[in-house]
Amino acid sequence: MNSKSGSEATPKRSSQGQLILYHGMKLSTMVKLFALKPSLRPSRIIRLGLMPFWGVYNSFWAGIENFFYAKKIRETELAGPPIFILGYWRSGTTLLHTLMTQDSRFNFPNLYQTVFPWHFLCTEKVFTSMTGWMVPKSRPMDNMEVHWNVPQEDEFAICTMCLISPYTLPLRPFDQEEWTRSFHIDDLSPEDRKTWEDSILHFMKKLTLRSPKPLVMKSPSHTYRVKALLKLFPDAKFIHIARHPFDVFNSTLHLRSTMIEENTLGSSFHPNAEESVLETFMGAYRTYEAERDLIPPENLTEVKYENLSQNPMAEIERIYKELQLGDFEFVRKTLEKKLVNHKDYKKNRFGRDPHWQQRVYEYCKEFYDRFGYVSPDQEKETAAA
């Protein structure tokens, strides 16, 4: 796709360094990774060469942690119903997660815990103090701040733990059937379904053992998994965020190309990317629509990214009220300080290719109608008025 329009389109792209998603795996999981027959290329030799080192390192510390904490983890109960942030990639889930986790009454997974889920109880304090320099200052695909303690999506941990995750995409970017199979947990084999359930439960128990507070979790892939999450957490609360589909479309294409390149062990060729984004975007929306009535009304609220970005304090306060999350005044001052930095945040900018604007509208019309977005022709009329 090429929708650039002069200086209008200047999306940010940078390196995440040599540490990739799969370096957090144990050796046994790395064996399963290579059983998937990932694309391999000599140009990725450093990433490949680091795999055995990280596999041994993670396996060793996982064994140490299991020795000291296995019983405690098994006996740990979550400290109240978790909150799950839903919404397709690039819909504003990170912004919403960042704002929600300013409340010290909540817990959340951070970057270190999701990269090294097997041993963060033992290693986090020492390793993060020694290796902060390894973490880039911002994410490869945008200007969101990065450090070991930044809130992060639990999907990274799930992928690292069991490979039942869409984040196998960089391994085989040409094989959509493989990396999308984890969207629908009920369609997995009984063995894979149990592995996924055990992985997310184990990770959330470890987070709770570290800090016994209700968890705020976010992973765009959970938009497909409301039913599966309710099976594990019947009292869970959900926040769904929507964003203009064409903005999501452009930003997701940029996200995929960046993250595939930064994490692949071989080719970054991702065919039919535009159609893949449209298909999975509407797949997430339709699955959410089909399953959202399973959520008790008092446990679900929705927000639009445009409203959150323009008036974040009012939107977060509304979320607190609708989900009954406690006294909002407790966190207001902390949010005010955080939002000072948000005002200076530089968003990526993309061109407005008329062909793809129309194509996205036609494919996603029911989403436009559901959340009150207008057609490209109506946008032109409004701009000309």
Side-chain angles (χ1 to χ4, degrees):
M1 173 184 167
N2 184 1
S3 61
K4 291 184 179 181
S5 176
S7 60
E8 183 183 358
T10 56
K12 181 255 188 183
R13 173 174 254 166
S14 60
S15 172
Q16 70 182 38
Q18 290 301 327
L19 185 64
I20 65 172
L21 169 61
Y22 313 115
H23 286 162
M25 294 177 174
K26 296 189 295 186
L27 275 175
S28 57
T29 314
M30 288 184 181
V31 171
K32 295 178 182 178
L33 181 154
F34 285 103
L36 294 175
K37 298 181 180 179
S39 173
L40 302 174
R41 282 191 173 178
S43 58
R44 317 294 184 183
I45 189 64
I46 296 179
R47 295 177 189 175
L48 282 164
L50 288 172
M51 294 285 278
F53 165 79
W54 284 115
V56 171
Y57 175 85
N58 295 319
S59 297
F60 171 79
W61 279 109
I64 297 295
E65 183 163 289
N66 185 66
F67 179 81
F68 285 105
Y69 289 99
K71 186 174 184 293
K72 292 181 180 179
I73 294 170
R74 284 196 304 271
E75 295 174 349
T76 295
E77 299 289 339
L78 298 191
I83 301 168
F84 290 98
I85 294 173
L86 311 177
Y88 192 78
W89 288 268
R90 310 307 292 164
S91 292
T93 57
T94 297
L95 172 61
L96 181 54
H97 196 211
T98 299
L99 296 179
M100 291 294 298
T101 54
Q102 295 306 301
D103 191 331
S104 61
R105 293 171 295 186
F106 294 134
N107 186 16
F108 57 89
N110 65 30
L111 177 61
Y112 184 85
Q113 293 160 352
T114 57
V115 173
F116 297 109
W118 288 117
H119 53 76
F120 66 81
L121 292 175
C122 283
T123 62
E124 182 175 10
K125 185 175 182 180
V126 173
F127 192 91
T128 53
S129 65
M130 294 173 57
T131 60
W133 58 271
M134 293 176 58
V135 183
K137 293 182 179 180
S138 62
R139 301 193 301 185
M141 67 288 192
D142 60 25
N143 292 299
M144 289 296 292
E145 178 186 20
V146 173
H147 49 76
W148 281 129
N149 293 318
V150 73
Q152 188 55 268
E153 58 186 88
D154 53 287
E155 192 66 45
F156 288 115
I158 295 171
C159 181
T160 297
M161 296 170 77
C162 68
L163 282 173
I164 302 174
S165 166
Y167 292 165
T168 59
L169 169 63
L171 298 174
R172 295 173 60 85
F174 48 83
D175 185 358
Q176 180 152 314
E177 183 177 351
E178 166 57 35
W179 64 265
T180 61
R181 73 185 185 93
S182 66
F183 286 160
H184 302 288
I185 301 302
D186 287 343
D187 293 341
L188 296 173
S189 68
E191 180 182 0
D192 281 350
R193 185 164 61 248
K194 186 177 188 306
T195 297
W196 180 84
E197 291 175 349
D198 289 347
S199 296
I200 191 170
L201 275 170
H202 184 79
F203 183 61
M204 292 174 71
K205 285 185 175 186
K206 288 184 65 174
L207 293 171
T208 303
L209 180 59
R210 168 56 63 88
S211 180
K213 303 174 184 178
L215 286 160
V216 181
M217 312 288 281
K218 84 98 177 177
S219 285
S221 46
H222 289 336
T223 311
Y224 289 87
R225 302 168 177 162
V226 168
K227 183 178 179 181
L229 291 171
L230 284 171
K231 177 184 175 183
L232 297 175
F233 315 104
D235 298 323
K237 299 177 184 290
F238 296 86
I239 310 169
H240 179 272
I241 184 167
R243 188 182 186 184
H244 194 293
F246 188 65
D247 293 336
V248 172
F249 174 76
N250 272 329
S251 194
T252 302
L253 286 172
H254 177 61
L255 165 70
R256 286 197 191 179
S257 65
T258 302
M259 296 310 293
I260 290 172
E261 180 61 33
E262 289 299 309
N263 291 279
T264 185
L265 300 174
S267 172
S268 58
F269 177 58
H270 182 37
N272 304 313
E274 293 90 349
E275 295 301 321
S276 173
V277 170
L278 290 176
E279 180 182 337
T280 54
F281 174 79
M282 286 306 294
Y285 165 67
R286 287 169 178 152
T287 303
Y288 167 71
E289 285 293 292
E291 297 183 350
R292 72 186 181 97
D293 286 344
L294 299 174
I295 307 170
E298 66 273 16
N299 289 343
L300 171 66
T301 189
E302 297 179 338
V303 62
K304 289 175 67 173
Y305 169 78
E306 292 80 7
N307 295 339
L308 180 67
S309 181
Q310 292 172 13
N311 198 349
M313 188 69 76
E315 288 299 300
I316 298 297
E317 185 171 11
R318 178 181 62 82
I319 289 170
Y320 266 64
K321 181 178 180 180
E322 292 184 5
L323 294 182
Q324 299 180 0
L325 298 180
D327 181 13
F328 182 73
E329 296 305 315
F330 179 87
V331 73
R332 185 184 293 275
K333 289 185 178 180
T334 305
L335 273 175
E336 287 175 349
K337 293 178 182 178
K338 185 68 177 179
L339 290 172
V340 170
N341 296 329
H342 174 65
K343 291 179 181 179
D344 297 327
Y345 178 74
K346 295 181 180 179
K347 299 178 184 178
N348 279 335
R349 300 165 63 191
F350 299 93
R352 312 290 289 182
D353 186 313
H355 166 76
W356 284 109
Q357 279 186 287
Q358 188 63 30
R359 173 71 176 128
V360 171
Y361 173 69
E362 291 171 355
Y363 199 97
C364 306
K365 187 177 184 305
E366 61 193 271
F367 188 99
Y368 278 75
D369 294 342
R370 162 80 159 81
F371 292 103
Y373 295 106
V374 301
S375 70
D377 288 341
Q378 289 174 300
E379 288 182 0
K380 290 178 184 177
E381 291 175 4
T382 301

